Amino acid sequence: MKEFRNETYTDFSINENQKKMEDAIKKAESELGKEYPIIIGNEKIILDDKLKSFNPAEKNQVIGIFQKADKETGEKAMKKSLNFFKGWKFSPPEERAEFLFNAAEIMRQRRFEINAWEILEVGKGWLEADADVAEAIDFLEFYAGEMLRYSKEQPVLQIPGEKSELVYLPLGVGVVIPPWNFPMAILCGMTSAALVTGNTVILKPSSDSPMIGQLFMEILQEAGLPPGIVNFVPGSGSIVGDYLVQHPKTRFISFTGSKGVGLRIVEQAAIAREGQKWIKRVVAEMGGKDAIVVDNDANLDSAASGIVYAAFGYQGQKCSACSRAIVVSDVYDEVVDKIVERTKKLTVGPTKLYENYMGAVINEKAYNSILSYIEKGKEEGGRLLTGGEPAEGNGYFIKPTVIADVKPGDTIEQEEIFGPVLAVIKAKDYDEALEIANDTDYGLTGAVYSDNREKLEKAKKLFHCGNLYLNRKCTGAFVGVHPFGGFNMSGTDSKAGGRDYLLLFMQAKSISEKIG
Ligand code: NAP
């Protein structure tokens, strides 16, 4: 097996790559509006109730038409998944890993095509789409390698008169519920981890990005994965998602999304229902209110650039996005000026054009919610420095927004906005900055800019977040390098892309035989 290496990003400054991307977008545009079925085992199901996916940058453009799975369809998916589990759980781990390696290779070949659909379906910029697909490839190869490691003899102590071993078994049928914001990487990461460990999966994609789920299903099929191992059930989270979460035969739920939905899943999954023989396992990766702290010893240009990239990349719609810049008072005005200067240079518009750095936000609900947070920020005394209003276009475009003089405890300092809004907060000194950083319900990512070693060491001890970065931005985790996942209300403390992630999808069996 070759050593794991992160997939490199496509260099779009090369003309040939630009041309390939433009062609892929044109091709995807020529295929808009097709209808896709639910996939359960060998069956392709069409229902009366449809789910349309729209382009957020072109409000009325239909990306694809999907089926809205109801409870009966959910039940059917569960029955089939239980049945397929009987055989899949005994399949050799090496074979399962091979499917993932194959899928990674196919994804590599179809990279521009997937990028194009991401640009159209969820409004990613070219670089952001490409990075998402690269991450998905990484998950496939990393988890395949990890499964091979777990399938080897495990280290247990031996005592005289016995031969002991420990083996890892799959759990059962898992329900995978991803968000839309990393539409391939997260969906692929959670699903591939679940299937490579020997579980069968019911995959309910986000209603905002079912097309990317469809592409993933095609790739699995092309990779030779037998039907029925992953069953594709688009539909409303609050109907079919909820039904599957509550189902007594669901063994585990792998969820990434908002705090509200995550907490509901944890609560519902905790109820033991009739016919249920286990405690459901829930892996919930949830929201963030991530902060970058700037100390007076920092390189202020690099801090301001890091803040702006982390705040406005993909319109701020990342769980890791910097939504708070906490700056110590000595350098506050200077840093604010540098942030505003850089933010004003960002271009907003349809991201099918490479030159637009920021695209539309995902949908109307998000658009309205972000604009109302901006109003709230101003009402509570924040000073609007740039943005704060919609940008032109037939989509959900919002200008990158910087609000300064936000106070600790203000609404936009505490709640996840999930859009292009940066709150800047003044701290009297470095210690207070760290206190403010920690003072939310979340604990996902964070960063500190300082040239002072002692202060960096202090951040390592005191900044309570799952992914801490020193002198770099707080977005952009690499699989295997920065295992990803947060503390507190940011989730159940798991680490996607880390060496202990697959354990969440397995249970260990200890076996000892008397000898001699
Ligand atoms: P969301 O609204 O919570 O939805 C996530 C998924 O849950 C969707 O597939 C949704 O389906 C489904 N769902 C909704 N209600 C449900 C229910 N009652 N039962 C079961 N499933 C249900 O989140 P989102 O808007 O897609 O994603 C943005 C959020 O994800 C942000 O809070 C962000 O911070 C977080 N996130 C966290 C991480 C991390 O690693 N910690 C990574 C990425 C994103 P429908 O689409 O059909 O409603």
Side-chain angles (χ1 to χ4, degrees):
M1 193 189 75
K2 68 177 185 217
E3 199 187 324
F4 174 79
R5 283 277 149 79
N6 293 111
E7 187 70 9
T8 49
Y9 293 160
T10 305
D11 182 351
F12 290 113
S13 67
I14 297 173
N15 283 345
E16 193 196 337
N17 287 338
Q18 283 222 9
K19 173 85 177 65
K20 277 192 196 164
M21 201 56 249
E22 281 160 4
D23 290 348
I25 294 172
K26 278 194 200 119
K27 182 156 185 297
E29 282 179 327
S30 74
E31 292 169 6
L32 289 171
K34 285 191 182 168
E35 182 160 353
Y36 303 91
I38 287 168
I39 306 169
I40 300 178
N42 280 314
E43 237 186 299
K44 304 237 154 84
I45 301 170
I46 299 287
L47 298 175
D48 290 338
D49 210 1
K50 308 293 178 196
L51 170 77
K52 282 187 184 166
S53 165
F54 290 95
N55 180 349
E58 195 56 62
K59 288 180 196 172
N60 303 318
Q61 188 174 72
V62 176
I63 298 295
I65 300 168
F66 295 82
Q67 316 304 313
K68 217 181 238 179
D70 48 18
K71 293 179 184 174
E72 290 71 43
T73 319
E75 184 58 36
K76 185 175 217 168
M78 177 54 77
K79 288 216 169 80
K80 291 273 180 177
S81 302
L82 284 166
N83 218 18
F84 283 109
F85 180 62
K86 289 179 195 157
W88 185 244
K89 66 179 173 184
F90 293 121
S91 60
E94 297 76 15
E95 224 170 75
R96 301 197 299 255
E98 203 50 40
F99 291 124
L100 265 54
F101 286 125
N102 290 347
E105 202 40 55
I106 296 163
M107 213 175 262
R108 224 170 246 130
Q109 286 154 20
R110 295 181 67 171
R111 182 138 171 196
F112 288 93
E113 178 196 354
I114 307 167
N115 288 353
W117 283 108
E118 289 203 10
I119 289 163
L120 297 177
E121 188 171 49
V122 299
K124 290 240 172 196
W126 291 22
L127 298 167
E128 297 282 352
D130 191 66
D132 183 61
V133 182
E135 189 177 0
I137 294 170
D138 283 351
F139 277 135
L140 287 164
E141 294 192 333
F142 185 78
Y143 293 149
E146 282 295 287
M147 190 61 237
L148 295 178
R149 181 167 72 82
Y150 282 117
S151 68
K152 303 258 154 53
E153 191 177 324
Q154 297 300 308
V156 283
L157 296 180
Q158 303 294 339
I159 53 170
E162 275 186 20
K163 168 80 184 108
S164 296
E165 60 181 312
L166 183 130
V167 290
Y168 286 107
L169 308 181
L171 295 171
V173 176
V175 178
V176 172
I177 308 180
W180 47 267
N181 71 328
F182 286 89
M184 186 56 96
I186 294 181
L187 176 146
C188 165
M190 297 198 297
T191 309
S192 58
L195 80 90
V196 79
T197 41
N199 305 287
T200 50
V201 176
I202 303 176
L203 168 60
K204 194 221 82 65
S206 161
S207 298
D208 285 302
S209 58
M211 186 64 207
I212 307 303
Q214 165 67 27
L215 293 174
F216 181 66
M217 291 304 289
E218 289 174 18
I219 288 167
L220 289 184
Q221 193 190 1
E222 229 183 293
L225 188 77
I229 307 308
V230 178
N231 299 293
F232 184 58
V233 183
S236 158
S238 55
I239 298 173
V240 73
D242 215 38
Y243 178 77
L244 290 167
V245 164
Q246 293 180 18
H247 201 291
K249 298 294 179 199
T250 292
R251 180 63 183 83
F252 67 96
I253 298 137
S254 182
F255 166 82
T256 305
S258 61
K259 174 178 125 184
V261 173
L263 289 179
R264 177 176 166 84
I265 289 176
V266 169
E267 183 192 2
Q268 288 299 313
I271 301 171
R273 295 188 158 80
E274 206 184 323
Q276 185 174 324
K277 287 171 94 172
W278 43 66
I279 300 166
K280 286 176 192 166
R281 200 179 284 178
V282 180
V283 181
E285 298 175 36
M286 301 170 359
K289 190 68 198 170
D290 313 306
I292 295 185
V293 167
V294 186
D295 175 42
N296 49 5
D297 290 328
N299 176 330
L300 303 186
D301 283 307
S302 112
S305 297
I307 288 167
V308 170
Y309 279 119
F312 301 119
Y314 190 36
Q315 295 82 270
Q317 299 174 117
K318 298 183 188 179
C319 53
S320 55
C322 168
S323 59
R324 296 180 298 154
I326 305 170
V327 186
V328 298
S329 55
D330 299 355
V331 291
Y332 182 81
D333 291 338
E334 202 179 335
V335 172
V336 168
D337 288 347
K338 286 178 191 290
I339 290 173
V340 172
E341 184 198 324
R342 283 162 174 76
T343 304
K344 283 185 171 163
K345 289 189 184 141
L346 302 178
T347 46
V348 186
T351 48
K352 71 177 194 176
L353 303 175
Y354 180 48
E355 63 260 29
N356 285 328
Y357 177 73
M358 284 173 56
V361 301
I362 191 69
N363 57 30
E364 191 177 4
K365 192 172 160 217
Y367 176 82
N368 290 332
S369 153
I370 295 163
L371 290 175
S372 69
Y373 269 117
I374 292 172
E375 287 313 305
K376 190 84 185 160
K378 289 191 291 184
E379 260 166 53
E380 291 185 347
R383 192 162 45 102
L384 176 69
L385 296 181
T386 183
E389 57 183 6
E392 268 173 41
N394 186 34
Y396 304 110
F397 298 105
I398 297 179
K399 291 183 183 167
T401 299
V402 179
I403 304 181
D405 302 350
V406 174
K407 298 176 297 304
D410 283 357
T411 308
I412 66 162
E413 198 269 331
Q414 289 289 311
E415 294 182 16
E416 186 181 46
I417 301 173
F418 221 57
V421 183
L422 174 71
V424 192
I425 302 129
K426 190 190 279 188
K428 83 173 180 296
D429 55 25
Y430 182 71
D431 286 353
E432 189 182 77
L434 286 183
E435 270 168 38
I436 297 169
N438 283 335
D439 191 23
T440 74
D441 292 343
Y442 296 101
L444 190 43
T445 73
V448 169
Y449 281 86
S450 174
D451 282 344
N452 180 318
R453 177 48 43 198
E454 247 175 60
K455 287 180 178 166
L456 293 177
E457 291 304 323
K458 197 174 223 179
K460 284 195 204 171
K461 282 197 199 118
L462 298 183
F463 199 156
H464 193 62
C465 58
N467 286 69
L468 176 66
Y469 301 98
L470 305 177
N471 288 319
R472 55 150 284 189
K473 66 183 167 55
C474 61
T475 54
F478 281 116
V479 169
V481 182
H482 315 109
F484 190 82
F487 300 153
N488 297 346
M489 284 294 176
S490 291
T492 46
D493 314 315
S494 60
K495 281 283 183 270
R499 278 169 66 93
D500 37 12
Y501 190 68
L502 289 194
L503 290 175
L504 299 166
F505 300 84
M506 298 190 285
Q507 51 198 340
K509 185 169 184 176
S510 173
I511 305 167
S512 291
E513 181 176 347
K514 193 166 187 325
I515 49 172

